[in-house]
């Protein structure tokens, strides 16, 4: 069974209690459980990982090569700063969909810039936790199209 990695960055472990008016009331565990169930419906396995450390996120992306067919990434604030995460996505060549719970383009100017977006297939933001499921759907479609073409 093909697998998708759901990777969450800094402060996303605090979901549920962190600014619920911006990020919603669901905990990360709840969001991850919905991702696993949603991927399964499409015949995919999912693995979830959250870290507050950029290096651990980098190692997870490197380790995904040859293991996961796709990556859903909410890099949190590293989205706006991390050339290293962008380079990692370019390096492993795994189709990646960037997710944000909030609409980063409707918020402070410093959130409008995303290094991840340059390397990702696309970006989904502003739909709360539903965005993760939309990202899984986008990846499933992309992966199926790519395997149809070979
Ligand atoms: C976020 C948006 C980022 O700007 C912020 O730093 C986060 C969460 C989101 O999911 O809306 O930590 O990625």
């Amino acid at each position: 069974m093909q697998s998708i990695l759901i990777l969450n960055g800094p402060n996303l472990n605090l979901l549920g209690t962190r600014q619920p008016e911006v990020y919603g009331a669901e905990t990360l565990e709840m969001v991850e459980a919905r991702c696993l169930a949603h991927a399964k419906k499409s015949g995919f396995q999912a693995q979830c990982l959250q870290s507050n450390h950029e290096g651990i996120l980098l190692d997870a992306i490197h380790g995904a090569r040859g293991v996961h067919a796709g990556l859903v990434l909410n890099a949190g604030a590293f989205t706006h700063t991390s050339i290293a995460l962008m380079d990692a996505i370019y390096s492993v060549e795994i189709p990646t969909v960037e997710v944000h719970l909030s609409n980063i383009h409707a918020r402070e100017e410093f959130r409008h810039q995303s290094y991840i977006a340059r390397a990702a297939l696309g970006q989904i933001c502003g739909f709360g936790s539903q965005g993760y499921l939309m990202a899984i759907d986008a990846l499933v479609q992309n992966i199926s199209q790519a395997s149809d073409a070979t």
Side-chain angles (χ1 to χ4, degrees):
M1 200 187 268
Q2 285 189 301
S3 169
I4 293 172
L5 178 62
I6 317 283
L7 198 53
N8 279 289
N11 299 311
L12 290 158
N13 54 313
L14 301 179
L15 280 185
T17 55
R18 173 194 184 198
Q19 296 179 274
E21 69 287 359
V22 179
Y23 298 117
E26 277 175 289
T27 63
L28 182 61
E29 289 70 28
M30 290 160 80
V31 175
E32 288 179 343
R34 287 178 63 206
C35 288
L36 296 178
H38 193 76
K40 201 171 169 188
K41 274 193 235 158
S42 298
F44 277 73
Q45 272 179 348
Q47 189 189 326
C48 301
L49 182 85
Q50 185 276 333
S51 179
N52 293 319
H53 305 277
E54 191 175 8
I56 293 178
L57 296 170
L58 288 168
D59 289 344
I61 294 170
H62 296 176
R65 190 175 210 159
V67 176
H68 297 286
L71 172 65
V72 173
L73 177 61
N74 183 349
F78 290 149
T79 303
H80 318 299
T81 60
S82 182
I83 295 169
L85 284 173
M86 175 188 74
D87 282 347
I89 297 164
Y90 277 132
S91 303
V92 298
E93 297 178 326
I94 295 173
T96 298
V97 177
E98 175 185 1
V99 170
H100 300 284
L101 294 143
S102 63
N103 180 355
I104 57 173
H105 302 288
R107 299 182 65 195
E108 303 96 322
E109 193 136 358
F110 61 81
R111 294 188 205 274
H112 299 180
Q113 152 87 354
S114 167
Y115 285 106
I116 307 302
R118 289 173 170 261
L121 291 175
Q123 181 191 69
I124 297 168
C125 68
F127 295 99
S129 62
Q130 193 65 22
Y132 288 86
L133 310 187
M134 295 161 92
I136 290 170
D137 289 342
L139 276 177
V140 166
Q141 207 173 340
N142 179 273
I143 294 162
S144 316
Q145 271 169 5
S147 62
D148 284 353
T150 56

